Amino acid sequence: MGLTAALDYRAWHEFGVERHQHGKWVPATGPASGGERVLAASVPLFAAASSHYASAGGAHAPRLVTLDEAFAGVDDDSRAKCLGLLRAFDLDVVMTSEREWAYYPQVPGIAIAQLSRVDDIDAVLVTRWEWDGGERRRGTEPGAGADASTAASPAGTEGEAPGA
């Protein structure tokens, strides 16, 4: 047996992921909704990322996690808890989502770039939003004065932020 084979932990160690359901621990690979499967895969990955970044040894080391279509199929309460968990793990998150705005008390702050487009127009409108853990406001556009940060969102626009 070579050194590579001896150090391959997959030959002598097995990881298991379980979830607590109906008062008992069951394998995360068992029957579950789409949202439960997303959480069963995401939460251990967030913990692993946090642990890995902790080994960087610097308080200023980036702790970036990128998520595409974040938390699709996950209910609002669970999404809020997951985003709170990302905060507890001190991870910086960049995510895309068709519907997630992350306006939850568990999220102390977030900057959002809402992208909107219209068919047959070769342009994308970028609207900036900020959430401070309790209030959503329009973000300042690059090069704009402070007045832009207090502008109200247009009512009834496509992709409008929840609660607008």
Side-chain angles (χ1 to χ4, degrees), residues 142-160:
D147 296 344
S149 66
T150 58
S153 65
T157 58
E158 181 180 332
E160 181 176 297

Side-chain angles (χ1 to χ4, degrees), residues 23 112 122 151:
I112 298 167
D122 293 332

